[in-house]
Amino acid sequence: MRILLDKFSKSFGTTSVIEDMNLEVGSGEMLALLGPSGCGKSTTLFAICGIHRPTAGRILFGDRDVTNLPSQERNVGVVFQSYALYPHMTVEENIGFPLTVRRVAASDIKKQVAGIAALVHIDNLLDRKPSQLSGGQQQRVALARALIRRPDVLLLDEPLANLDAKLRLEMRSEIRRLQKETGITAILVTHDQVEAMSMCDRIAIMKSGEIVQVATPSQMYQDPRTAFVAGFLGNPPISFLKGKAAHGAFVSTDGKLQMTLPALSGIADGTALTLGIRPEHFGTAGNVPVEGKVTFAETQGRENLYDVVLPDGSVIRSIQPVRDDVTLGDQVRWGIDSKSAFVFAEDGTRL
Amino acid sequence: MSEKSKASANFSSIPVIALLGLLSLPLVVMYAYLILDTVTNSEPGSLVPNEFTLEHWKFLWETRSGKSSIWLVTLNTFIFTCCITGVILLVSSMAGYVLSRLNVPARGFFLAGVMVLHAFPSVTLIISIFIVLQYIGLYNSLIGVILVKAAIDMPLGIWLMKGFYDTVPWEIEMAGIVDGASRFTVWRRLVLPQIKPAIMALGLFSFLTGWSEFILPQVLAPGSQVQVLSVYLASLIADDNNFDFATFKAVGVFYVIPVLILYVFFQKHLMNIYGGGTKG
């Protein structure tokens, strides 16, 4: 089901958290709300599931306006960060609870619980209490409980934050599999860009209550609209260099680095600029040479990660296939791939 | 807290037990004599009983002239205590939830007010309560004294409950709401079970204070038809003509038995109160 936030605003007392937000999630799509903590992504989520009432604006599920409907009448499934399983109930009772409160016949509940439990692979754990389950199993129970009454929307509030690294990988693909299998519209709230990029069809990146950009993960990575988006996506993160415009080229503060960029053709000389270079675009293959000193070297097995300090003190990260000829303190002369560099104006917008 | 504390390997517990045993010996002796004296007679001035008798327990099957039947009094006490426990549990569990979770105007003022009420010794209010009860026609009735006792004990219950509700995570309630349950269902099916230990504790506590309450029934419900055990017991020694110490002791033992039974059955829950608050 399509979800539409139309000029949605939310404030708590006098603090305005979100103002005039517009967002559309297509039917069957999985969208990530990505942003640092405190940017309003959880507030948005809670407004969609009806726990917070919007201060202004509308929320639509399909063509139905649910803005003033209480949670109970909205048919949303939510997986909370802490899972919020009911500790005094068995797994079976937990999953069946949404049906129990709807007074579905007990035999029906049993059948449906068995079905959904098989879908999330916990059919052998139905008699356990939540405290007897591992984190990953609790996560699956929470998912099953959210899915059992075929919600219009599945909302996931940082569902992987409490899992260890290995389980996180596993649950990532698991949640995606379930979402695809059930064809349900889903919104994932997260501050982890890897999660957002790997699990979702589209990402809406948020900053202090506003959506900065909505795009598919690859679009967003290759074509970030602002320096914030560029800095948020990518691991290891992008490096930024300060500089000025001069004759259609980017010139670093000390003037040693000059890079002609087509994006700068109409920009007045002397405009303050920021250059963004992803670590994979700085290395032996680049066309604009830069000299600096290696101050950090780390191997990740398949790749090596280096921090190179330029003479003016700024740092560029580089990621390269494993090589052992560069060590800490070495003077290197590597190149920046100018075609892939991003240039941003002073206010952060991309040029 | 199901695991028993194991004996420490490098620290013997015997001296501690011996010391504690020695210190509590006088208590044991007193309790032993309390029970022993109810079924025996002894020579005046002697501590050693010389005959077995059940005459002190005669009050169980014989009603003395001018006294109410012990069974009526016991029934009254049970009604009194159970009603108090019920009222306190019902009101505190709901009021505590409201104060902990809902947007109540002047919540702080209300909580402080409740606390002030709790700080009031009930005896200071007794005359005004007496007048009020007299006025509304509940003087010398069980209902009247039940309401008064429950009201006086309620502040503590409300505070205790509020404290326990505060520890229940919000997410559980949010999950319940999103799952389609009404706020009341959420409270009854999801939140209340989380604070079961507190309910147990408060229920037990209310039962015990209700069972041992003396001054309120004595003043507000002294009539023989609505007498409770504590008042009955006091009337035994207040009666100078038939001063019977052994019967007094026997009634005392009779009075204590339900409390002992309660302890035997609920000891586990009492132990659990602090240990198992937020399991899961």
Side-chain angles (χ1 to χ4, degrees):
Chain A
M1 188 168 289
R2 181 190 68 126
I3 300 161
L4 183 71
L5 298 184
D6 179 23
K7 295 211 176 71
F8 159 70
S9 302
K10 175 72 194 172
S11 49
F12 294 101
T14 52
T15 359
S16 173
V17 180
I18 289 164
E19 257 178 84
D20 285 345
M21 180 204 248
N22 293 302
L23 178 67
E24 186 173 356
V25 189
S27 188
E29 186 185 37
M30 184 150 176
L31 180 111
L33 279 179
L34 178 65
S37 10
C39 72
K41 52 194 195 305
S42 287
T43 308
T44 312
L45 189 88
F46 286 144
I48 295 172
C49 71
I51 288 169
H52 294 331
R53 292 293 158 83
T55 323
R58 294 188 308 155
I59 299 172
L60 275 81
F61 287 5
D63 293 325
R64 196 161 67 114
D65 187 340
V66 298
T67 315
N68 293 311
L69 280 187
S71 292
Q72 289 95 333
E73 291 165 36
R74 285 198 191 187
N75 201 21
V76 286
V78 184
V79 176
F80 291 90
Q81 182 175 356
S82 61
Y83 316 138
L85 299 180
Y86 312 132
H88 58 292
M89 295 184 181
T90 63
V91 167
E92 182 166 13
E93 288 165 332
N94 259 289
I95 300 175
F97 186 76
L99 300 180
T100 316
V101 295
R102 239 151 260 224
R103 304 191 194 286
V104 176
S107 57
D108 261 13
I109 296 180
K110 217 172 166 57
K111 217 186 298 165
Q112 293 196 37
V113 169
I116 205 95
L119 185 70
V120 297
H121 306 317
I122 46 165
D123 29 348
N124 53 337
L125 305 170
L126 288 179
D127 299 329
R128 302 246 195 115
K129 286 276 176 69
S131 53
Q132 297 164 313
L133 301 178
S134 69
Q137 290 165 337
Q138 292 187 16
Q139 169 83 78
R140 285 165 195 265
V141 176
L143 262 170
R145 190 180 65 188
L147 289 172
I148 190 155
R149 64 204 162 102
R150 322 213 162 282
D152 298 334
V153 198
L154 177 66
L155 304 176
L156 304 146
D157 185 11
E158 311 216 3
L160 307 176
N162 291 339
L163 298 177
D164 61 56
K166 189 167 161 285
L167 259 176
R168 203 174 293 181
L169 272 176
E170 187 187 321
M171 286 314 291
R172 221 154 75 186
S173 47
E174 187 73 9
I175 290 174
R176 183 61 168 158
R177 171 182 74 85
L178 284 168
Q179 190 263 334
K180 281 234 166 96
E181 258 171 54
T182 50
I184 202 168
T185 310
I187 298 178
L188 170 80
V189 159
T190 180
H191 58 250
D192 182 347
Q193 47 102 10
V194 181
E195 253 170 50
M197 290 182 77
S198 60
M199 288 168 74
C200 296
D201 299 310
R202 284 196 304 155
I203 298 175
I205 196 158
M206 288 183 73
K207 186 191 180 185
S208 45
E210 273 172 36
I211 292 184
V212 184
Q213 188 175 2
V214 187
T216 63
S218 57
Q219 265 175 12
M220 194 171 274
Y221 188 76
Q222 283 153 18
D223 186 17
R225 194 173 291 163
T226 69
F228 173 76
V229 175
F232 212 89
L233 290 191
N235 185 27
I238 197 166
S239 339
F240 291 110
L241 295 180
K242 293 265 176 230
K244 280 193 177 70
H247 313 297
F250 170 87
V251 181
S252 66
T253 337
D254 61 357
K256 287 201 173 155
L257 172 67
Q258 295 208 5
M259 191 188 286
T260 315
L261 292 163
L264 291 174
S265 53
I267 304 292
D269 286 1
T271 315
L273 297 171
T274 306
L275 190 69
I277 303 142
R278 294 212 184 272
E280 62 268 33
H281 300 137
F282 175 57
T284 44
N287 56 347
V288 180
V290 175
E291 228 172 285
K293 196 173 139 197
V294 176
T295 56
F296 172 85
E298 180 191 83
T299 183
Q300 297 185 337
R302 191 158 33 88
E303 283 144 342
N304 282 3
L305 189 60
Y306 301 104
D307 279 7
V308 176
V309 175
L310 306 189
D312 66 345
S314 46
V315 179
I316 314 183
R317 264 175 289 267
S318 168
I319 193 160
Q320 300 176 21
V322 163
R323 53 190 284 187
D324 41 21
D325 54 335
V326 179
T327 53
L328 211 61
D330 284 3
Q331 201 71 24
V332 291
R333 189 180 163 86
W334 287 335
I336 297 172
D337 178 8
S338 64
K339 284 193 299 300
S340 313
F342 305 129
V343 63
F344 303 98
E346 208 174 9
D347 64 353
T349 50
R350 169 112 175 271
L351 298 170
Chain B
M1 319 330 130
S2 52
E3 64 199 272
K4 292 207 174 74
S5 53
K6 281 189 208 119
S8 170
N10 46 10
F11 176 71
S12 169
S13 53
I14 293 170
V16 179
I17 291 176
L19 186 69
L20 288 176
L22 205 66
L23 285 175
S24 43
L25 205 60
L27 271 175
V28 176
V29 171
M30 280 193 275
Y31 276 113
Y33 263 96
L34 175 67
I35 291 164
L36 201 64
D37 279 355
T38 64
V39 290
T40 56
N41 280 329
S42 34
E43 297 282 319
S46 161
L47 280 177
V48 186
N50 60 354
E51 62 167 341
F52 175 79
T53 174
L54 283 177
E55 67 171 302
H56 309 312
W57 288 91
K58 226 166 44 188
F59 68 92
L60 286 180
W61 53 87
E62 241 171 48
T63 305
R64 291 199 203 182
S65 59
K67 293 259 181 283
S68 11
S69 150
I70 184 77
W71 297 112
L72 175 69
V73 175
T74 311
L75 180 69
N76 282 341
T77 318
F78 263 107
I79 294 173
F80 176 71
T81 312
C82 292
C83 287
I84 285 171
T85 309
V87 170
I88 289 180
L89 280 187
L90 195 72
V91 177
S92 307
S93 60
M94 290 184 169
Y97 181 76
V98 168
L99 286 173
S100 163
R101 287 294 206 245
L102 305 186
N103 279 325
V104 189
R107 178 208 316 260
F109 175 76
F110 190 81
L111 277 172
V114 166
M115 209 46 180
V116 169
L117 277 184
H118 179 58
F120 249 79
S122 54
V123 185
T124 55
L125 295 171
I126 209 151
I127 293 172
S128 45
I129 291 173
F130 172 83
I131 294 169
V132 170
L133 286 190
Q134 181 83 292
Y135 188 73
I136 57 177
L138 287 178
Y139 173 67
N140 218 352
S141 73
L142 270 181
I143 297 181
V145 74
I146 284 168
L147 289 178
V148 171
K149 172 70 179 159
I152 284 172
D153 279 359
M154 217 165 288
L156 178 75
I158 292 174
W159 266 89
L160 189 81
M161 285 294 151
K162 183 195 170 287
F164 270 83
Y165 280 124
D166 285 346
T167 65
V168 177
W170 264 112
E171 277 86 5
I172 287 197
E173 269 178 80
M174 290 186 187
I177 297 270
V178 169
D179 280 347
S182 68
R183 199 69 196 257
F184 184 78
T185 312
V186 165
W187 171 72
R188 197 177 56 83
R189 301 274 307 270
L190 302 181
V191 180
L192 213 50
Q194 314 295 319
I195 59 152
K196 235 195 212 151
I199 304 251
M200 276 299 198
L202 183 62
L204 211 59
F205 181 79
S206 307
F207 192 92
L208 293 178
T209 55
W211 189 259
S212 56
E213 178 62 37
F214 168 64
I215 195 78
L216 290 174
Q218 167 79 354
V219 177
L220 303 175
S224 60
Q225 286 308 301
V226 291
Q227 217 167 35
V228 294
L229 271 168
S230 56
V231 179
Y232 179 89
L233 193 59
S235 75
L236 279 182
I237 38 170
D239 191 350
D240 285 337
N241 299 326
N242 313 302
F243 196 78
D244 185 348
F245 221 64
T247 304
F248 180 72
K249 282 183 183 171
V251 175
V253 171
F254 179 76
Y255 183 36
V256 165
I257 286 170
V259 176
L260 291 180
I261 292 174
L262 214 64
Y263 266 103
V264 169
F265 277 101
F266 290 98
Q267 199 186 17
K268 215 180 80 198
H269 293 285
L270 276 173
M271 300 303 220
N272 256 337
I273 283 167
Y274 297 105
T278 48
K279 253 195 258 169

